[in-house]
Amino acid sequence: MDGGTALAPVEREESLTEKVYRSLRGALTGGRLAPGQRLVHRTLAAELNVSPTPVREALLRLVSEAALELDARGIAWVPRLELPRYREIMELRVELEGRAVARATELATFTDVARLRDLHAGVAEGRRTGNAAQVLRENERFHFALLELARMPVLARVVESLWLQAGPTISLLFRPGTSAVPGAHPHMDLLAAMAARDPAAARQAMERDLRAHGALIEAALERGGG
Amino acid sequence: MDGGTALAPVEREESLTEKVYRSLRGALTGGRLAPGQRLVHRTLAAELNVSPTPVREALLRLVSEAALELDARGIAWVPRLELPRYREIMELRVELEGRAVARATELATFTDVARLRDLHAGVAEGRRTGNAAQVLRENERFHFALLELARMPVLARVVESLWLQAGPTISLLFRPGTSAVPGAHPHMDLLAAMAARDPAAARQAMERDLRAHGALIEAALERGGG
DNA sequence: ATATCGCATTTGCTATAGCAAACAACAAGG
DNA sequence: CCTTGTTGTTTGCTATAGCAAATGCGATAT
């Protein structure tokens, strides 16, 4: 019985808690849960056809990641992001994702950069067709793939958490039409810098990318969007 | 009925989940839970005289904060910190706590700095008497008070999470005697810089402080402590 | 019309129960 | 002595039940 050495280890199928968590996470970053929305665990459980227990666990997990908050009564809800807090999140993202992209530039192979180029194509297509949801979704994939390349798991986890905190507000306020920044998309500069093995330039491109997006959201927040 | 306006709002007493969470958190940073230790939720519940549910919730919360991990079977355990990951955590702490102390220096009043001085006295006392647990505990209070002064809640939360990830390993390996760095304690330089309203100097002092501690742990990890 | 009281409902929190998979220990066989 | 099979135990996961506090609503009184 040794033909088995070629077999991959069986994947333990994920728990219900995990499934609910992923579903909620996707809803948060995908803009299907708006700031202010309340999430009553029993109600959600009924909708998802599971018992309240795994739903409650998933909600508490999101609370511990600051993606949700509990009101005075203990009911989970999507927090409204005030401008100062949004700015703080963006400052941290600039620093941390900047670091990550510099590191990724040192480590990335030609193939890695090519893959990133493919991912950016999705973003570009969304921009052309004015599909905000697609832009956000593909942009997220691009950034997370980049984070992966940096081989900094602790940092990556922090950025994911920041992403999740800002996600609902960004989804609510982002409109791709508005972001017609002159010149090439910062992602293109970033990819060029990576191909040229220039970590500092890559970092600067990342910073421009984040600040360009960030400025749009800040403007909307100032108009009273939060 | 307006005599009530002077009353503080009644504090909703914390849930059992919260209590268990705090207890475990303290055990992790206080060195009462060593890397490798397994935490079986039913057993723990029996020891704490509560039902398994809140214990399970507290454990899952710590898992989501990367303070604990789940093994293949789903049992929570205190992860062993490999050197690269420890280094990554320290790099992030240097950046983030450095940022925080620079900001705190801009915002802190004379009274704030005096309070920090008091907190450092606890650290100094622990050093004099060779009480490792006291040094770690008071050092934590000092750093968190500093974070509070920076008014950067998102950053503070991230640092707390990093602290928790490194806590068990630090507690395991830290010995105050070893850390007889020549010259004044970096905290003293830091406090002087804050009093002088010099954010850059404060940041540098923080970096020296973290790297001095960090070097001790790294040395112990290299000797095979993890 | 407004305020107040009371009751039914909602809802988070904790405890308990049952299941299934993994594990451990021990017995039987080679 | 080592392997194999069996059986009892451990343990995470999910569902369910009951409690208590908060809430909401309607009735009643002023």
Side-chain angles (χ1 to χ4, degrees):
Chain A
M1 228 187 247
D2 67 89
T5 53
L7 294 177
V10 292
E11 202 55 48
R12 240 169 72 86
E13 85 177 274
E14 65 182 356
S15 66
L16 277 185
T17 298
E18 193 78 11
K19 283 179 189 161
V20 175
Y21 171 78
R22 279 188 205 289
S23 166
L24 287 170
R25 199 178 205 288
L28 285 167
T29 60
R32 295 186 299 283
L33 284 175
Q37 172 86 43
R38 295 203 322 175
L39 299 167
V40 175
H41 81 269
R42 270 198 254 243
T43 309
L44 246 155
E47 287 168 5
L48 300 174
N49 256 306
V50 297
S51 85
T53 309
V55 175
R56 192 176 136 82
E57 282 175 359
L59 288 173
L60 288 176
R61 177 165 171 192
L62 287 164
V63 168
S64 91
E65 293 171 1
L68 297 178
E69 288 182 7
L70 298 181
D71 66 14
R73 210 177 154 187
I75 300 176
W77 64 291
V78 184
R80 298 172 201 282
L81 215 51
E82 308 292 335
L83 186 51
R85 182 169 286 237
Y86 178 75
R87 287 208 174 109
E88 191 188 346
I89 290 174
M90 286 312 294
E91 282 308 308
L92 293 174
R93 282 187 58 193
V94 164
E95 173 61 40
L96 297 175
E97 295 198 48
R99 235 166 224 256
V101 73
R103 190 84 206 293
T105 300
E106 293 168 0
L107 298 177
T109 66
F110 183 82
T111 314
D112 292 329
V113 178
R115 206 168 79 80
L116 287 176
R117 231 179 274 280
D118 287 347
L119 286 172
H120 174 67
V123 180
E125 182 188 307
R127 281 172 101 70
R128 274 200 311 278
T129 59
N131 185 337
Q134 181 181 0
V135 171
L136 289 172
R137 187 181 64 243
E138 299 299 324
N139 187 54
E140 182 175 341
R141 291 181 62 199
F142 181 87
H143 281 254
F144 285 167
L146 201 41
L147 280 174
E148 196 74 27
L149 293 178
R151 311 273 163 80
M152 300 178 76
V154 180
L155 182 148
R157 190 184 266 259
V158 172
V159 172
E160 278 179 40
S161 152
L162 296 176
W163 199 282
L164 200 53
Q165 288 180 52
T169 298
I170 291 177
S171 289
L172 185 68
L173 300 177
F174 177 73
R175 293 292 173 276
T178 334
S179 65
V181 188
H185 192 290
H187 285 181
M188 296 309 293
D189 297 342
L190 193 159
L191 290 166
M194 287 187 76
R197 305 254 157 190
D198 187 338
R203 183 171 188 154
Q204 281 175 7
M206 172 63 91
E207 176 162 354
R208 277 197 305 279
D209 182 38
L210 291 175
R211 293 207 190 280
H213 265 247
L216 292 175
I217 307 297
E218 286 197 17
L221 272 173
E222 274 165 357
R223 287 197 304 274
Chain B
M1 220 181 256
D2 65 68
T5 53
L7 293 179
V10 291
E11 203 55 47
R12 242 170 77 84
E13 84 176 278
E14 63 182 359
S15 66
L16 276 185
T17 298
E18 193 78 11
K19 283 180 189 159
V20 174
Y21 171 77
R22 280 187 205 291
S23 166
L24 287 170
R25 198 180 205 290
L28 284 167
T29 60
R32 295 186 298 284
L33 284 174
Q37 171 86 42
R38 295 203 323 174
L39 299 166
V40 175
H41 81 269
R42 271 196 253 241
T43 310
L44 237 123
E47 287 168 5
L48 300 173
N49 254 306
V50 297
S51 85
T53 309
V55 175
R56 189 175 139 81
E57 281 175 0
L59 289 173
L60 288 176
R61 177 166 170 190
L62 288 164
V63 169
S64 91
E65 293 170 2
L68 297 178
E69 288 182 8
L70 298 181
D71 67 14
R73 211 176 151 188
I75 300 176
W77 63 291
V78 185
R80 299 173 201 280
L81 216 50
E82 307 293 334
L83 186 52
R85 182 169 286 237
Y86 178 76
R87 287 207 173 110
E88 191 189 344
I89 291 173
M90 287 310 294
E91 282 307 309
L92 293 175
R93 282 188 58 194
V94 165
E95 174 61 40
L96 297 175
E97 295 199 48
R99 233 167 225 254
V101 73
R103 190 83 207 293
T105 300
E106 293 169 0
L107 298 177
T109 65
F110 183 82
T111 314
D112 291 331
V113 178
R115 204 167 82 80
L116 287 176
R117 230 179 273 280
D118 286 348
L119 286 172
H120 174 66
V123 180
E125 183 187 308
R127 280 171 102 70
R128 273 200 313 277
T129 59
N131 185 337
Q134 182 181 2
V135 171
L136 289 171
R137 189 181 62 243
E138 300 298 324
N139 187 52
E140 182 175 343
R141 291 181 64 199
F142 181 87
H143 279 254
F144 284 167
L146 200 43
L147 280 173
E148 195 75 27
L149 293 178
R151 311 272 164 81
M152 300 178 76
V154 180
L155 181 147
R157 190 185 265 260
V158 172
V159 172
E160 279 179 40
S161 151
L162 296 177
W163 200 282
L164 200 53
Q165 288 179 53
T169 298
I170 291 177
S171 288
L172 185 67
L173 300 177
F174 178 72
R175 294 291 173 275
T178 333
S179 65
V181 187
H185 193 289
H187 285 181
M188 297 309 291
D189 297 341
L190 194 158
L191 290 166
M194 286 187 78
R197 304 252 157 190
D198 186 341
R203 183 172 188 152
Q204 282 175 6
M206 172 63 90
E207 176 162 354
R208 276 197 304 279
D209 182 38
L210 291 175
R211 293 207 190 282
H213 266 247
L216 293 176
I217 307 298
E218 285 197 18
L221 271 173
E222 273 164 359
R223 287 197 304 273

